[in-house]
Amino acid sequence: MTKPTRVSRKPDRSWTDADRLRWAIYWLLIAVCLGNAVGRIWAVTAEHGRHPFLSANDRSRWATVRALVDHQTFAIDEVIQDRYWDSIDKVYHLGPDGKYHYYSSKPPLMACVLAGEYWLIKNTVGMEISEHPFYVGRAVLIATNGLLLFGLLWATIWIVERYAKSDFARIGIVATVAFGTFLTTYAVTINNHSLAATSVAIALYCGLRVWCDGRGDARYLLGAGFFAACAAVNDLPAFSFFGLLGLAMLIKRPVGTLVYGVPAAALILGASLLTNYIAHQSWRPPYAHRADGEVLGTLETKLHGALDKKEVPLVLKDVLENHGIELSQQAEIITRETGNRWVVLDMGIDRRYAVQRTENNIEVRDWDNWYDYDTSYWKPGVKKGVDLGEKSIGRYAFHVTLGHHGILSLTPVWLLSLLGLGLWLGEKGTHRQVAGFIVALTLICVLFYVFRPLKDRNYGGMTSGFRWAFWLIPMWLTAMIPVLDRWKNARWGQLLFAVLLLFSAISASYSALNPWVHPWMYSYMGYLGWLD
């Protein structure tokens, strides 16, 4: 392929009037996008009017932030005593003090960074988030999401300035970032998707410089390693991006990747693992603790009747005593499923154990299901609405792509990305390779979620778009380059792009003050009676 001429980002004597105009438009788009985000952050208020935290998802993170700074612990027990701070996104497990506590189910690394911002505010201005949630919360939101949104815009400008050939493509793609994606919608709430998408954008630019331009600069290898790892630890499917980009860097620059990229990635991966261990005393994240622990012993199946009667059999006590566990007089049996599953709950020693009937016996297991507690929303029979899961995989695949949560139906500007990928796949050289990279990652992410178990086929819960794919947005933007470059002088193409962008912007704006609501298409289909 023919390498595009590099455009300097600093004004000099070689700049033309067109260059100056284009950069003026960039700065205007940045100013409007950030101004819009800040204005919405300042205006947003939760339904009950007590603070600007909009859903169980972001309240879960905010609870950890408050607990870390105000109580010096990851346990959120004291924070969620205020019902306005409570969240369904929490787990319940033993803490370092040997007692059970509630914790946020979200990875703790991001909360630690946010806690640093809150600590700075508290120790300089003197404001506590419990007393001034609007001032403190909005200050943290503006600083965090404003920086992330600026980073996304700036990385996109880097990419289009380097690889797009026409001003129409460059300005059009930056305008899409500013107005036409759900990443701007999520600027009013703390979330992992904005951080993952910005990280992907920066890592993608660094990776393109290495793969397409043959650059081996330490800054590009460091950037690719660090930000790809940052995307991975904040959005689970982005581990595919981290792995595939890492492999590409090893192929292109093996020594430089090992010297610069691997240590940079190890830094963020290590920080994520370490904060998770400090928070939960486990190297595995909370969502990996959804089942019973190791088998401690077995009982005869005939004892199921005694267990249903809430009797604690002596043989059960013997099994636990063999592991150094002596039940107190407060031990009781709680039936989870008559004849099949029970819980041994001992408030005297603050311990619980799982008892599960199998084909051959009854197993006594250590407790490791952090989502199974009395008030848990995630227990069978408690969840409701979209969280029940879509029974039909085919229907789920349709609504994820073309239906009420559809990637293409809500933001049809991505149709141009599909066309661009087709154009690049028809070429030879690095364009085809980059297109294959984007196609592979898109398929991995979408298929991963389409074929999840029933309980996970919920479109991301109460959310204005299919948020689990948001981290792919920087790659879809890059894929628009060949289409818009070809339409630089085509009035019909420019008009079509404007219509698609307008429709995408309307979808993104529908939930501008709270992204934790269903998309407009879902609400409209419900109004028409098309949904169960």
Side-chain angles (χ1 to χ4, degrees), residues 20 23 70 96 99 200 203 268 293 387 389-390 428 443 452 507:
R20 295 186 179 89
W23 275 89
D70 292 347
K99 297 181 179 180
V200 166
I268 192 72
D387 289 323
E390 174 56 64
K428 295 181 179 180
L443 289 176
R452 295 292 295 161
S507 290

Side-chain angles (χ1 to χ4, degrees), residues 138-389:
R138 286 168 172 169
V140 173
L141 278 168
I142 290 171
T144 303
N145 288 350
L147 181 62
L148 290 175
L149 199 53
F150 180 80
L152 175 67
L153 287 159
W154 198 246
T156 303
I157 291 172
W158 287 346
I159 292 172
V160 297
E161 281 291 299
R162 181 65 191 172
Y163 300 103
K165 300 175 183 178
S166 67
D167 285 352
F168 174 64
R170 292 167 181 150
I171 294 172
I173 290 172
V174 176
T176 302
V177 180
F179 307 115
T181 82
F182 283 107
L183 293 176
T184 55
T185 311
Y186 272 76
V188 298
T189 182
I190 289 298
N191 69 96
N192 58 308
H193 309 298
S194 298
L195 177 54
T198 298
S199 299
V200 166
I202 299 172
L204 178 64
Y205 172 74
C206 295
L208 290 173
R209 293 309 309 268
V210 176
W211 186 263
C212 296
D213 301 341
R215 298 292 293 269
D217 309 40
R219 56 178 172 164
Y220 296 127
L221 296 168
L222 284 167
F226 182 87
F227 286 102
C230 188
V233 301
N234 284 285
D235 227 328
L236 179 62
F239 265 103
S240 58
F241 173 78
F242 171 70
L244 198 55
L245 183 65
L247 178 61
M249 297 300 96
L250 279 171
I251 292 172
K252 201 72 172 182
R253 295 288 177 179
V255 176
T257 299
L258 293 173
V259 172
Y260 299 109
V262 171
L267 180 65
I268 192 72
L269 292 173
S272 179
L273 286 171
L274 182 60
T275 52
N276 190 81
Y277 186 81
I278 294 172
H280 302 290
Q281 289 75 58
S282 172
W283 297 110
R284 292 180 292 149
Y287 53 74
H289 293 267
R290 290 180 176 270
D292 296 330
E294 64 174 314
V295 177
L296 302 178
T298 59
L299 309 176
E300 295 180 359
T301 55
K302 65 181 182 180
L303 290 174
H304 70 85
L307 292 169
D308 281 339
K309 294 177 181 178
K310 299 185 178 182
E311 298 174 359
V312 183
L314 290 176
V315 65
L316 173 57
K317 293 182 178 181
D318 292 340
V319 167
L320 296 175
E321 286 178 359
N322 289 336
H323 291 270
I325 304 161
E326 185 174 351
L327 296 178
S328 74
Q329 295 297 319
Q330 298 181 45
E332 60 178 323
I333 299 294
I334 298 176
T335 302
R336 282 286 192 261
E337 184 181 349
T338 302
N340 285 294
R341 181 171 175 79
W342 308 265
V343 176
V344 180
L345 177 62
D346 191 338
M347 298 303 294
I349 59 174
D350 202 7
R351 291 293 185 276
R352 58 187 61 203
Y353 302 93
V355 183
Q356 178 69 54
R357 185 174 181 175
T358 65
E359 292 183 1
N360 302 318
N361 52 40
I362 296 176
E363 294 180 341
V364 181
R365 289 176 169 267
D366 199 7
W367 191 260
D368 198 43
N369 191 338
W370 294 0
Y371 290 83
D372 186 0
Y373 50 89
D374 292 341
T375 59
S376 176
Y377 174 76
W378 307 106
K379 292 189 302 183
V382 178
K383 292 187 294 184
K384 58 185 178 180
V386 71
D387 289 323
L388 291 173

Side-chain angles (χ1 to χ4, degrees), residues 32-55:
V32 172
C33 182
L34 293 182
N36 176 271
V38 171
R40 288 186 292 120
I41 289 171
W42 200 252
V44 72
T45 301
E47 183 178 353
H48 44 68
R50 293 291 296 271
H51 52 57
F53 314 139
L54 301 173
S55 77

